Amino acid sequence: LSGFVSLVGAGPGDPELITLKAVRRLEAADLVLYDALVSGEVLVHARRAHCFHVGKRSGAPGVKQETIHRMLIEAARQGKRVVRLKCGDPFVLGRGGEEVLALAAAGIPHEVIPGVSSALAAPALAGIPLTHRGLASGFAVLSGHAEEAWRPILEAVAPGTLSLVVLMGLAARRELSAALLTRGWAPETPAALLLAASTPRAAAWLGPLSGLAAAPIPAETRGAPATLVVGAVADLPARAAALAAAAAPAALPRAAGQCA
Ligand SMILES: C[S@@+](CC[C@H](N)C(=O)[O-])C[C@H]1O[C@@H](n2cnc3c(N)ncnc32)[C@H](O)[C@@H]1O
């Protein structure tokens, strides 16, 4: 008897941004292993499952990756329907590929259910289209976690040629901005720092690349996940707001005797 493992994307945080297929897998699950950034509100769908938190946040120790592999494999060998629930999309900077390889090597049947990645959702919810005719025909998503990973990518991208989306880049935003400015990106290039996107704590800073390093973090979003965007597209929310203000009907002069 062999169970089955579903690697499922939970979306960026808003419990309504999970897919129907993900909800169906949670409803049928015996065991759910979930990551730190998964909203507790999506776990309500896993009514009959045991749910275990196996995530780690900002350097805090979590369950080792090899232990997660072993837990998935052992539960499937006991015939369980297992959901491995990850924030966003399981294959975007989420180590989902490693888990698929471990399951494949152990001969465990499995599937991947994509999720709405924060790399797309955070900009979209802030009104930033990652591509826009005349501004950017493409975008790159990179991890800001380890300098040896992001620096070669930034050095390979010609300044201003695409939209950059950096996950796990909050702590290194000073080094990331400095690397882009040194590489020749204009200091006035629009940039955004998007915190806790799609959640009630969501906050956004929009400004020039030269201000990204010192962008203030509101106290209520300390410790929240952040997505950085750099590129001309990050100016779209300001342009849209200016157009909306210009299109708003002018206030009518108040008639004599009218109450305020
Ligand atoms: C380990 S990566 C996983 C990314 C995930 N697989 C995805 O597709 O969104 C975690 C990073 O995603 C970003 N992130 C996740 N949720 C976010 C949110 N609600 N708002 C902004 N960024 C978020 C942050 O950069 C965070 O450090």
Side-chain angles (χ1 to χ4, degrees):
L1 174 72
S2 180
F4 193 83
V5 177
S6 303
L7 252 80
V8 177
D14 179 345
E16 293 194 358
L17 286 176
I18 190 167
T19 66
L20 275 178
K21 202 163 195 167
V23 168
R24 292 203 175 113
R25 292 301 183 275
L26 285 169
E27 285 169 347
D30 301 305
L31 174 70
V32 177
L33 302 184
Y34 65 96
D35 276 347
L37 290 175
V38 168
S39 156
E41 287 174 83
V42 304
L43 295 175
V44 299
H45 299 295
R47 281 179 227 112
R48 45 187 299 281
H50 291 292
C51 298
F52 290 105
H53 176 233
V54 292
K56 46 194 164 292
R57 281 291 284 139
S58 308
V63 179
K64 285 203 180 91
Q65 191 63 37
E66 295 68 31
T67 309
I68 296 173
H69 295 172
R70 212 170 45 244
M71 290 168 83
L72 294 172
I73 291 165
E74 281 171 12
R77 285 194 175 140
Q78 288 163 14
K80 293 193 170 130
R81 278 168 293 188
V82 185
V83 167
R84 174 70 177 108
L85 192 62
K86 291 170 167 285
C87 88
D89 181 271
F91 275 2
V92 176
L93 299 174
R95 306 192 74 171
E98 290 166 55
E99 293 176 15
V100 160
L101 291 177
L103 293 167
I108 304 293
H110 58 275
E111 65 178 349
V112 178
I113 298 183
V116 178
S117 175
S118 57
L120 305 179
L125 291 166
I128 300 172
L130 291 178
T131 65
H132 186 86
R133 193 179 288 267
L135 293 183
S137 305
F139 59 90
V141 177
L142 54 142
S143 165
H145 179 62
E147 182 169 348
E148 61 274 21
W150 58 255
R151 193 171 284 283
I153 300 175
L154 295 191
E155 283 171 2
V157 173
T161 50
L162 42 67
S163 310
L164 290 176
V165 183
V166 186
L167 303 187
M168 296 178 277
L170 187 61
R173 66 199 156 112
R174 190 170 300 278
E175 293 80 1
L176 285 158
S177 319
L180 289 169
L181 293 167
T182 306
R183 173 89 177 106
W185 288 68
E188 60 277 10
T189 303
L193 169 51
L194 309 168
L195 290 142
S198 88
T199 77
R201 285 198 297 163
W205 171 91
L206 297 147
L209 173 59
S210 57
L212 182 60
I217 309 290
E220 60 277 16
T221 56
R222 295 264 155 75
T227 292
L228 313 180
V229 181
V230 179
V233 292
D235 195 34
L236 260 287
R239 278 174 57 190
L243 289 170
L252 293 173
R254 205 179 304 147
Q258 189 182 332
C259 295

